[in-house]
Amino acid sequence: MDAYAIEAKEKMEKSIAAFKVGLSKLRSGRANPAMLNGIMCDYYGEKMDITSLSSISMPEPRQLLVKPYSREDLKTIGSAIAAANLGINPQIEADAIRIIVPPLTGELRQQIAKEAKALAEEAKVSIRNVRRDALDLLKIDETMSDDYKKRVEDEIQKVVTESNKSVEDILAEKTKEILSI
């Protein structure tokens, strides 16, 4: 495989990894500590991720337990979770925050499935952008013959097809998980 195709494949794999991270934040009817990733709270004037300020465990399938490392951060973490608009209501206890994830309604499941599809479309756009950039670099390169450039273009297209299929497979699996009751 040519260096252009290898570089494009690496970038496309990063797009797929970002897609997986985006999907992990979506609710699927049961508790998942990853749904709290990326929630920022105020920590002495600085914005910090709550995963840096607390440990998150899952004592039951529909429940998360967030234990801040410092009890002073309990209220700020609780308010940050409430403000994140995840459809969950944190309950602040003596030294922890308990989050009970309610079961999803049919309408909410459809909405979350649409969000997953939108994330998949963003991943595909990112993959197409990587292809465009690789082909632009290939056109600029004067050291290759036209036949070799055509072969490299075909390799890049194969990588794009594989990446898009991977995104579709991941989306189908996540959609099935979301829509299952």
Side-chain angles (χ1 to χ4, degrees), residues 10 16 25 33 58 64 67 97 101-102 105 131 155 160:
E10 290 172 359
I16 293 171
K25 293 179 183 179
M58 200 170 90
L64 292 175
K67 287 192 174 185
I97 301 168
V101 179
T105 63
R131 176 185 60 193
E155 287 179 10
V160 168

Side-chain angles (χ1 to χ4, degrees), residues 2-3 20 144 167 175:
D2 188 71
K20 287 179 182 177
M144 292 185 199
V167 167
T175 303

Side-chain angles (χ1 to χ4, degrees), residues 4-5 29-30 52 61 63 70 110-112 119 165 168 179:
Y4 287 108
R30 52 180 189 251
S52 305
Q63 194 176 101
S70 172
Q110 293 295 328
Q111 181 64 33
I112 294 172
L119 288 173
K165 183 176 180 344
E168 284 297 325
L179 296 178

Side-chain angles (χ1 to χ4, degrees), residues 36 39 75-92 97 99:
L36 299 179
I39 296 177
K75 288 184 180 175
T76 58
I77 292 174
S79 63
I81 293 171
N85 198 17
L86 295 174
I88 53 179
N89 197 14
Q91 300 169 350
I92 299 175
I97 301 168
I99 300 169

Side-chain angles (χ1 to χ4, degrees), residues 52-118:
S52 305
L53 301 173
S54 60
S55 67
I56 303 170
S57 62
M58 200 170 90
E60 294 177 22
R62 291 193 179 267
Q63 194 176 101
L64 292 175
L65 191 64
V66 180
K67 287 192 174 185
Y69 299 129
S70 172
R71 288 183 70 171
E72 289 83 33
D73 301 330
L74 202 60
K75 288 184 180 175
T76 58
I77 292 174
S79 63
I81 293 171
N85 198 17
L86 295 174
I88 53 179
N89 197 14
Q91 300 169 350
I92 299 175
E93 298 176 352
D95 61 345
I97 301 168
R98 190 169 306 275
I99 300 169
I100 298 172
V101 179
L104 297 175
T105 63
E107 185 178 309
L108 190 55
R109 285 180 193 277
Q110 293 295 328
Q111 181 64 33
I112 294 172
K114 283 181 186 177
E115 290 175 26
K117 190 168 183 164

